[in-house]
Amino acid sequence: MTSLFSKFEGTAGALGSVVAVGGRNPFAVVIEKPVSSTVGIIEGRETLLFGTNNYLGLSQSKNAIRAAQQAAATCGVGTTGSRIANGTQSLHRQLEKDIAAFFGRRDAMVFSTGYQANLGIISTLAGKDDHLFLDADSHASIYDGSRLSAAEVIRFRHNDPDNLYKRLKRMDGTPGAKLIVVEGIYSMTGNVAPIAEFVAVKKETGAYLLVDEAHSFGVLGENGRGAAEADGVEADVDFIVGTFSKSLGTVGGYCVSDHPELEFVRLNCRPYMFTASLPPEVIAATTAALSDMQAHPELRKQLMANAQQLHAGFVDIGLNASKQATPVIAVTLETAEEAIPMWNRLLELGVYVNLSLPPATPDSRPLLRCSVMATHTPEQIAQAIAIFRQAAAEVGVTPAPTAA
């Protein structure tokens, strides 16, 4: 009889090889205690956190903590129902109003996770007779939403508006709506999408445009509204999806839009209809973190300065770092035999980053995915760069240049 688990034999073998090389499972790291937004206890040691997506450091916001405590004390710790049943409290509606107002949009939907926001919005908007145009490097939640939608999926080359235009033009005269889905900042590499160019393609072809600002919300734009704001084309983006689990430091997702039909999306969106809503303490903490983000634009400026420092440091020591200096900086290596020991040595020396291995990487090469925070000090960033230099030299990844 075939085992139900035989399909995981490849995964078991691959994981076993990773553990054999480095002695650790890099996908089961436990932060035993957060010391601050930038430091955690891992394996009993204080470790610099450079792999958490906590871009503004707001997971430790005192205002958010107080708001969560008060909400739990007054509203309880859960709703026990979905948003269309008993899962909507005044806190949920207020957060939706606040998010819509922040983006200057007509309406907003709040989801229990960012993954569900993409899963729900994409699968509900695009039906079986429609066409989805996805950037080849799209997040798993976007691909999963497209599968649930039953729409025809057409991939175009990463960050390539011309390639998108050609694929759309081939569909001229084909029945069904067309929805383009791109991301503001791509989570694996830190690449920023040319949203203004995608808007031009959208206008010429009559398609709709959805931008996932998960990693650009709170990061790009004068007010932190993301890549569309940075490019000055917000009004031409039909749907913006994002998450609270990055810059706001909590959990949950959202979609904002000026289309009045968003109200009907609520009543057809299965991941929204059949999932328990976020508990009051999370909603209250998110609302407070959003207020913190708006009240402290200097966090965004410090974040980008920190990103520049980390990126320049990697380039200086000869690492193959991302082309752009954003809060997500990938260090690409040639083989897993380099990447796995390098990741392990970094952790032993006191720096936690994310290890990403093929086939989950964009170009089938392993990478060390780093993320920087506004709350990292220049000294912490310098220390991380020095540890990367030491680990690279010890593992033999790159000849580390001697100090001047």
Short mmCIF file of all heavy atoms in Angstrom, two decimals, residues 47-104:
data_model
loop_
_atom_site.label_atom_id
_atom_site.label_comp_id
_atom_site.label_asym_id
_atom_site.label_seq_id
_atom_site.Cartn_x
_atom_site.Cartn_y
_atom_site.Cartn_z
N THR A 47 21.83 37.40 19.97
CA THR A 47 22.04 37.32 18.53
C THR A 47 21.41 38.53 17.86
O THR A 47 20.27 38.90 18.17
CB THR A 47 21.40 36.03 17.98
OG1 THR A 47 21.96 34.90 18.66
CG2 THR A 47 21.63 35.89 16.49
N LEU A 48 22.15 39.14 16.95
CA LEU A 48 21.61 40.24 16.17
C LEU A 48 20.60 39.70 15.16
O LEU A 48 20.90 38.75 14.43
CB LEU A 48 22.73 40.97 15.43
CG LEU A 48 23.72 41.76 16.29
CD1 LEU A 48 24.87 42.27 15.43
CD2 LEU A 48 23.03 42.90 17.01
N LEU A 49 19.43 40.29 15.13
CA LEU A 49 18.36 39.82 14.25
C LEU A 49 18.38 40.61 12.95
O LEU A 49 18.03 41.80 12.91
CB LEU A 49 17.00 39.98 14.95
CG LEU A 49 16.87 39.25 16.29
CD1 LEU A 49 15.52 39.55 16.93
CD2 LEU A 49 17.07 37.74 16.12
N PHE A 50 18.79 39.95 11.87
CA PHE A 50 18.79 40.55 10.55
C PHE A 50 17.99 39.68 9.58
O PHE A 50 18.35 39.54 8.41
CB PHE A 50 20.23 40.74 10.04
CG PHE A 50 20.89 41.99 10.56
CD1 PHE A 50 21.56 41.97 11.77
CD2 PHE A 50 20.81 43.18 9.87
CE1 PHE A 50 22.17 43.11 12.27
CE2 PHE A 50 21.42 44.34 10.34
CZ PHE A 50 22.09 44.30 11.55
N GLY A 51 16.88 39.12 10.09
CA GLY A 51 16.05 38.29 9.22
C GLY A 51 14.62 38.23 9.69
O GLY A 51 14.01 37.16 9.67
N THR A 52 14.06 39.37 10.12
CA THR A 52 12.75 39.32 10.76
C THR A 52 11.66 40.13 10.07
O THR A 52 10.50 40.03 10.49
CB THR A 52 12.84 39.83 12.21
OG1 THR A 52 13.18 41.23 12.19
CG2 THR A 52 13.88 39.05 13.00
N ASN A 53 11.94 40.94 9.09
CA ASN A 53 10.94 41.78 8.39
C ASN A 53 10.34 42.87 9.28
O ASN A 53 9.36 43.50 8.90
CB ASN A 53 9.78 40.95 7.82
CG ASN A 53 10.26 39.88 6.87
OD1 ASN A 53 11.15 40.11 6.07
ND2 ASN A 53 9.66 38.71 6.95
N ASN A 54 10.91 43.08 10.45
CA ASN A 54 10.38 44.04 11.42
C ASN A 54 10.93 45.43 11.09
O ASN A 54 11.64 46.05 11.88
CB ASN A 54 10.80 43.59 12.82
CG ASN A 54 10.13 44.34 13.94
OD1 ASN A 54 9.16 45.06 13.74
ND2 ASN A 54 10.66 44.19 15.14
N TYR A 55 10.61 45.93 9.90
CA TYR A 55 11.33 47.03 9.29
C TYR A 55 11.40 48.29 10.14
O TYR A 55 12.42 48.97 10.16
CB TYR A 55 10.73 47.36 7.92
CG TYR A 55 10.80 46.21 6.96
CD1 TYR A 55 9.66 45.79 6.27
CD2 TYR A 55 11.98 45.52 6.74
CE1 TYR A 55 9.71 44.71 5.40
CE2 TYR A 55 12.04 44.45 5.88
CZ TYR A 55 10.90 44.04 5.20
OH TYR A 55 10.96 42.97 4.35
N LEU A 56 10.33 48.63 10.84
CA LEU A 56 10.32 49.85 11.65
C LEU A 56 10.52 49.56 13.14
O LEU A 56 10.49 50.47 13.96
CB LEU A 56 9.01 50.62 11.43
CG LEU A 56 8.73 51.04 9.98
CD1 LEU A 56 7.42 51.81 9.91
CD2 LEU A 56 9.87 51.88 9.41
N GLY A 57 10.72 48.29 13.48
CA GLY A 57 10.92 47.91 14.87
C GLY A 57 9.68 48.01 15.73
O GLY A 57 9.77 47.99 16.96
N LEU A 58 8.51 48.06 15.10
CA LEU A 58 7.29 48.32 15.85
C LEU A 58 6.71 47.09 16.55
O LEU A 58 5.69 47.21 17.25
CB LEU A 58 6.23 48.95 14.94
CG LEU A 58 6.56 50.38 14.47
CD1 LEU A 58 5.47 50.91 13.54
CD2 LEU A 58 6.74 51.32 15.65
N SER A 59 7.33 45.94 16.39
CA SER A 59 6.87 44.78 17.17
C SER A 59 7.04 45.03 18.67
O SER A 59 6.39 44.37 19.48
CB SER A 59 7.64 43.52 16.77
OG SER A 59 9.00 43.62 17.17
N GLN A 60 7.91 45.97 19.02
CA GLN A 60 8.15 46.29 20.43
C GLN A 60 7.58 47.66 20.81
O GLN A 60 7.96 48.24 21.83
CB GLN A 60 9.65 46.27 20.71
CG GLN A 60 10.31 44.93 20.43
CD GLN A 60 9.81 43.83 21.32
OE1 GLN A 60 9.63 44.02 22.50
NE2 GLN A 60 9.57 42.65 20.75
N SER A 61 6.66 48.18 19.98
CA SER A 61 6.05 49.48 20.27
C SER A 61 5.34 49.48 21.62
O SER A 61 4.45 48.66 21.87
CB SER A 61 5.04 49.83 19.17
OG SER A 61 4.13 50.83 19.60
N LYS A 62 5.70 50.41 22.49
CA LYS A 62 5.05 50.50 23.80
C LYS A 62 3.58 50.87 23.65
O LYS A 62 2.72 50.38 24.40
CB LYS A 62 5.78 51.51 24.67
CG LYS A 62 7.17 51.06 25.12
CD LYS A 62 7.81 52.08 26.03
CE LYS A 62 9.12 51.57 26.63
NZ LYS A 62 10.10 51.19 25.61
N ASN A 63 3.28 51.73 22.68
CA ASN A 63 1.88 52.10 22.45
C ASN A 63 1.06 50.89 22.01
O ASN A 63 -0.08 50.70 22.46
CB ASN A 63 1.79 53.20 21.39
CG ASN A 63 2.31 54.54 21.90
OD1 ASN A 63 2.27 54.81 23.10
ND2 ASN A 63 2.79 55.37 21.00
N ALA A 64 1.63 50.08 21.13
CA ALA A 64 0.92 48.90 20.65
C ALA A 64 0.72 47.89 21.77
O ALA A 64 -0.35 47.25 21.87
CB ALA A 64 1.67 48.28 19.48
N ILE A 65 1.73 47.72 22.59
CA ILE A 65 1.62 46.77 23.72
C ILE A 65 0.52 47.21 24.68
O ILE A 65 -0.32 46.40 25.11
CB ILE A 65 2.98 46.64 24.43
CG1 ILE A 65 3.98 45.93 23.51
CG2 ILE A 65 2.83 45.87 25.75
CD1 ILE A 65 5.42 45.98 24.01
N ARG A 66 0.51 48.50 25.01
CA ARG A 66 -0.53 49.00 25.92
C ARG A 66 -1.92 48.84 25.32
O ARG A 66 -2.87 48.45 26.01
CB ARG A 66 -0.27 50.47 26.24
CG ARG A 66 0.81 50.71 27.29
CD ARG A 66 0.78 52.13 27.79
NE ARG A 66 1.12 53.07 26.75
CZ ARG A 66 2.35 53.51 26.50
NH1 ARG A 66 3.37 53.09 27.24
NH2 ARG A 66 2.58 54.38 25.53
N ALA A 67 -2.04 49.13 24.01
CA ALA A 67 -3.34 49.00 23.34
C ALA A 67 -3.82 47.56 23.35
O ALA A 67 -5.00 47.27 23.56
CB ALA A 67 -3.25 49.53 21.91
N ALA A 68 -2.89 46.62 23.12
CA ALA A 68 -3.24 45.20 23.13
C ALA A 68 -3.71 44.76 24.51
O ALA A 68 -4.70 44.03 24.66
CB ALA A 68 -2.05 44.36 22.68
N GLN A 69 -3.00 45.20 25.55
CA GLN A 69 -3.36 44.84 26.91
C GLN A 69 -4.75 45.36 27.27
O GLN A 69 -5.57 44.64 27.85
CB GLN A 69 -2.32 45.39 27.89
CG GLN A 69 -0.96 44.69 27.79
CD GLN A 69 0.12 45.40 28.58
OE1 GLN A 69 0.03 46.61 28.83
NE2 GLN A 69 1.15 44.67 28.97
N GLN A 70 -5.03 46.60 26.91
CA GLN A 70 -6.33 47.20 27.22
C GLN A 70 -7.45 46.50 26.47
O GLN A 70 -8.52 46.23 27.03
CB GLN A 70 -6.31 48.69 26.90
CG GLN A 70 -7.61 49.40 27.27
CD GLN A 70 -7.55 50.89 26.99
OE1 GLN A 70 -6.52 51.42 26.58
NE2 GLN A 70 -8.67 51.58 27.22
N ALA A 71 -7.20 46.19 25.19
CA ALA A 71 -8.24 45.53 24.39
C ALA A 71 -8.54 44.14 24.93
O ALA A 71 -9.71 43.72 25.00
CB ALA A 71 -7.80 45.44 22.93
N ALA A 72 -7.50 43.39 25.31
CA ALA A 72 -7.72 42.05 25.87
C ALA A 72 -8.51 42.14 27.17
O ALA A 72 -9.39 41.31 27.44
CB ALA A 72 -6.39 41.34 26.08
N ALA A 73 -8.22 43.16 27.97
CA ALA A 73 -8.89 43.30 29.26
C ALA A 73 -10.36 43.68 29.10
O ALA A 73 -11.21 43.27 29.91
CB ALA A 73 -8.17 44.33 30.11
N THR A 74 -10.66 44.45 28.06
CA THR A 74 -12.03 44.95 27.91
C THR A 74 -12.86 44.17 26.90
O THR A 74 -14.10 44.11 27.03
CB THR A 74 -12.01 46.43 27.47
OG1 THR A 74 -11.26 46.56 26.25
CG2 THR A 74 -11.37 47.31 28.55
N CYS A 75 -12.21 43.55 25.90
CA CYS A 75 -12.96 42.87 24.83
C CYS A 75 -12.74 41.37 24.80
O CYS A 75 -13.37 40.67 24.00
CB CYS A 75 -12.57 43.45 23.47
SG CYS A 75 -12.84 45.23 23.30
N GLY A 76 -11.84 40.85 25.64
CA GLY A 76 -11.53 39.43 25.57
C GLY A 76 -10.39 39.15 24.61
O GLY A 76 -9.84 40.06 23.98
N VAL A 77 -10.06 37.87 24.46
CA VAL A 77 -8.88 37.51 23.67
C VAL A 77 -9.21 36.94 22.29
O VAL A 77 -8.31 36.57 21.54
CB VAL A 77 -8.00 36.50 24.43
CG1 VAL A 77 -7.42 37.15 25.69
CG2 VAL A 77 -8.78 35.24 24.78
N GLY A 78 -10.49 36.84 21.94
CA GLY A 78 -10.84 36.31 20.63
C GLY A 78 -12.26 36.66 20.25
O GLY A 78 -13.06 37.08 21.10
N THR A 79 -12.59 36.47 18.98
CA THR A 79 -13.95 36.77 18.50
C THR A 79 -14.78 35.51 18.28
O THR A 79 -16.01 35.57 18.27
CB THR A 79 -13.89 37.53 17.17
OG1 THR A 79 -13.32 36.69 16.17
CG2 THR A 79 -13.06 38.81 17.31
N THR A 80 -14.10 34.38 18.05
CA THR A 80 -14.73 33.07 17.83
C THR A 80 -15.60 33.01 16.58
O THR A 80 -16.39 32.09 16.42
CB THR A 80 -15.58 32.61 19.04
OG1 THR A 80 -16.79 33.37 19.11
CG2 THR A 80 -14.82 32.75 20.35
N GLY A 81 -15.43 33.95 15.67
CA GLY A 81 -16.25 33.91 14.46
C GLY A 81 -15.61 34.66 13.31
O GLY A 81 -14.66 35.43 13.50
N SER A 82 -16.14 34.45 12.13
CA SER A 82 -15.64 35.14 10.94
C SER A 82 -16.22 36.54 10.86
O SER A 82 -17.18 36.89 11.56
CB SER A 82 -15.99 34.36 9.68
OG SER A 82 -17.37 34.48 9.39
N ARG A 83 -15.68 37.33 9.94
CA ARG A 83 -16.10 38.72 9.82
C ARG A 83 -17.57 38.85 9.41
O ARG A 83 -18.21 39.84 9.75
CB ARG A 83 -15.21 39.45 8.81
CG ARG A 83 -13.80 39.73 9.30
CD ARG A 83 -13.79 40.73 10.45
NE ARG A 83 -14.50 41.94 10.12
CZ ARG A 83 -13.98 42.95 9.44
NH1 ARG A 83 -12.72 42.89 9.00
NH2 ARG A 83 -14.70 44.03 9.18
N ILE A 84 -18.10 37.88 8.68
CA ILE A 84 -19.50 38.02 8.23
C ILE A 84 -20.48 37.39 9.22
O ILE A 84 -21.68 37.43 9.01
CB ILE A 84 -19.72 37.42 6.83
CG1 ILE A 84 -19.52 35.90 6.85
CG2 ILE A 84 -18.81 38.07 5.81
CD1 ILE A 84 -20.05 35.22 5.61
N ALA A 85 -19.94 36.81 10.30
CA ALA A 85 -20.81 36.27 11.35
C ALA A 85 -20.67 37.17 12.57
O ALA A 85 -21.03 38.33 12.55
CB ALA A 85 -20.44 34.82 11.64
N ASN A 86 -20.11 36.62 13.65
CA ASN A 86 -19.97 37.41 14.88
C ASN A 86 -18.58 37.98 15.07
O ASN A 86 -18.24 38.46 16.15
CB ASN A 86 -20.32 36.56 16.10
CG ASN A 86 -19.38 35.37 16.24
OD1 ASN A 86 -19.41 34.47 15.41
ND2 ASN A 86 -18.56 35.37 17.26
N GLY A 87 -17.74 37.92 14.01
CA GLY A 87 -16.33 38.29 14.16
C GLY A 87 -15.98 39.73 13.88
O GLY A 87 -14.80 40.07 13.81
N THR A 88 -16.98 40.59 13.72
CA THR A 88 -16.70 42.01 13.51
C THR A 88 -17.07 42.81 14.75
O THR A 88 -18.24 42.83 15.17
CB THR A 88 -17.48 42.56 12.30
OG1 THR A 88 -17.01 41.92 11.11
CG2 THR A 88 -17.28 44.06 12.16
N GLN A 89 -16.08 43.41 15.37
CA GLN A 89 -16.30 44.33 16.47
C GLN A 89 -16.00 45.75 15.98
O GLN A 89 -15.47 45.95 14.89
CB GLN A 89 -15.41 43.97 17.66
CG GLN A 89 -15.71 42.59 18.24
CD GLN A 89 -14.84 42.25 19.44
OE1 GLN A 89 -13.98 43.04 19.86
NE2 GLN A 89 -15.05 41.07 20.00
N SER A 90 -16.32 46.73 16.79
CA SER A 90 -16.07 48.12 16.39
C SER A 90 -14.59 48.36 16.11
O SER A 90 -14.24 49.18 15.25
CB SER A 90 -16.57 49.08 17.47
OG SER A 90 -15.93 48.83 18.71
N LEU A 91 -13.71 47.62 16.81
CA LEU A 91 -12.27 47.75 16.57
C LEU A 91 -11.91 47.37 15.13
O LEU A 91 -11.07 48.03 14.51
CB LEU A 91 -11.50 46.86 17.54
CG LEU A 91 -11.43 47.31 19.00
CD1 LEU A 91 -10.85 46.19 19.86
CD2 LEU A 91 -10.60 48.57 19.15
N HIS A 92 -12.54 46.32 14.61
CA HIS A 92 -12.25 45.89 13.24
C HIS A 92 -12.68 46.96 12.24
O HIS A 92 -11.94 47.29 11.29
CB HIS A 92 -12.97 44.58 12.93
CG HIS A 92 -12.51 43.42 13.77
ND1 HIS A 92 -12.99 43.19 15.03
CD2 HIS A 92 -11.62 42.43 13.51
CE1 HIS A 92 -12.41 42.10 15.53
NE2 HIS A 92 -11.58 41.62 14.63
N ARG A 93 -13.88 47.48 12.42
CA ARG A 93 -14.37 48.52 11.51
C ARG A 93 -13.50 49.77 11.58
O ARG A 93 -13.22 50.40 10.56
CB ARG A 93 -15.82 48.87 11.86
CG ARG A 93 -16.83 47.84 11.41
CD ARG A 93 -16.88 47.74 9.91
NE ARG A 93 -18.06 47.00 9.45
CZ ARG A 93 -18.21 46.54 8.23
NH1 ARG A 93 -17.26 46.73 7.33
NH2 ARG A 93 -19.30 45.89 7.88
N GLN A 94 -13.07 50.12 12.79
CA GLN A 94 -12.25 51.33 12.93
C GLN A 94 -10.90 51.15 12.23
O GLN A 94 -10.40 52.08 11.58
CB GLN A 94 -12.02 51.66 14.40
CG GLN A 94 -11.31 53.00 14.62
CD GLN A 94 -12.06 54.16 14.01
OE1 GLN A 94 -13.25 54.36 14.29
NE2 GLN A 94 -11.39 54.94 13.17
N LEU A 95 -10.30 49.96 12.36
CA LEU A 95 -9.02 49.73 11.68
C LEU A 95 -9.20 49.82 10.17
O LEU A 95 -8.36 50.39 9.46
CB LEU A 95 -8.44 48.36 12.07
CG LEU A 95 -7.12 47.99 11.38
CD1 LEU A 95 -6.04 49.04 11.61
CD2 LEU A 95 -6.64 46.61 11.85
N GLU A 96 -10.30 49.27 9.64
CA GLU A 96 -10.54 49.37 8.20
C GLU A 96 -10.69 50.82 7.77
O GLU A 96 -10.18 51.22 6.72
CB GLU A 96 -11.78 48.54 7.83
CG GLU A 96 -11.50 47.05 7.86
CD GLU A 96 -12.69 46.19 7.50
OE1 GLU A 96 -13.84 46.63 7.75
OE2 GLU A 96 -12.48 45.07 6.99
N LYS A 97 -11.37 51.62 8.58
CA LYS A 97 -11.50 53.04 8.26
C LYS A 97 -10.13 53.73 8.30
O LYS A 97 -9.81 54.56 7.44
CB LYS A 97 -12.46 53.71 9.24
CG LYS A 97 -13.91 53.32 9.07
CD LYS A 97 -14.79 53.99 10.11
CE LYS A 97 -16.25 53.57 9.97
NZ LYS A 97 -17.12 54.17 11.03
N ASP A 98 -9.33 53.37 9.29
CA ASP A 98 -8.00 53.98 9.41
C ASP A 98 -7.09 53.59 8.25
O ASP A 98 -6.34 54.44 7.73
CB ASP A 98 -7.35 53.56 10.74
CG ASP A 98 -8.05 54.17 11.95
OD1 ASP A 98 -8.86 55.10 11.77
OD2 ASP A 98 -7.78 53.70 13.08
N ILE A 99 -7.13 52.33 7.86
CA ILE A 99 -6.29 51.88 6.73
C ILE A 99 -6.75 52.55 5.43
O ILE A 99 -5.93 53.03 4.64
CB ILE A 99 -6.35 50.34 6.60
CG1 ILE A 99 -5.57 49.68 7.74
CG2 ILE A 99 -5.78 49.88 5.26
CD1 ILE A 99 -4.07 49.85 7.67
N ALA A 100 -8.05 52.60 5.21
CA ALA A 100 -8.57 53.25 4.00
C ALA A 100 -8.18 54.72 3.98
O ALA A 100 -7.76 55.26 2.94
CB ALA A 100 -10.09 53.09 3.93
N ALA A 101 -8.30 55.39 5.12
CA ALA A 101 -7.93 56.81 5.20
C ALA A 101 -6.44 57.01 4.97
O ALA A 101 -6.03 57.96 4.30
CB ALA A 101 -8.34 57.37 6.56
N PHE A 102 -5.62 56.12 5.52
CA PHE A 102 -4.17 56.22 5.34
C PHE A 102 -3.81 56.18 3.86
O PHE A 102 -2.97 56.94 3.38
CB PHE A 102 -3.46 55.10 6.09
CG PHE A 102 -1.98 55.05 5.86
CD1 PHE A 102 -1.15 56.00 6.43
CD2 PHE A 102 -1.42 54.06 5.07
CE1 PHE A 102 0.23 55.97 6.21
CE2 PHE A 102 -0.05 54.01 4.84
CZ PHE A 102 0.77 54.98 5.42
N PHE A 103 -4.47 55.29 3.12
CA PHE A 103 -4.20 55.17 1.69
C PHE A 103 -5.02 56.14 0.84
O PHE A 103 -4.81 56.20 -0.38
CB PHE A 103 -4.46 53.74 1.22
CG PHE A 103 -3.35 52.77 1.52
CD1 PHE A 103 -3.40 51.96 2.64
CD2 PHE A 103 -2.25 52.68 0.69
CE1 PHE A 103 -2.38 51.07 2.93
CE2 PHE A 103 -1.21 51.79 0.97
CZ PHE A 103 -1.28 50.99 2.09
N GLY A 104 -5.94 56.87 1.47
CA GLY A 104 -6.81 57.76 0.71
C GLY A 104 -7.76 57.01 -0.20
O GLY A 104 -8.09 57.48 -1.29
#
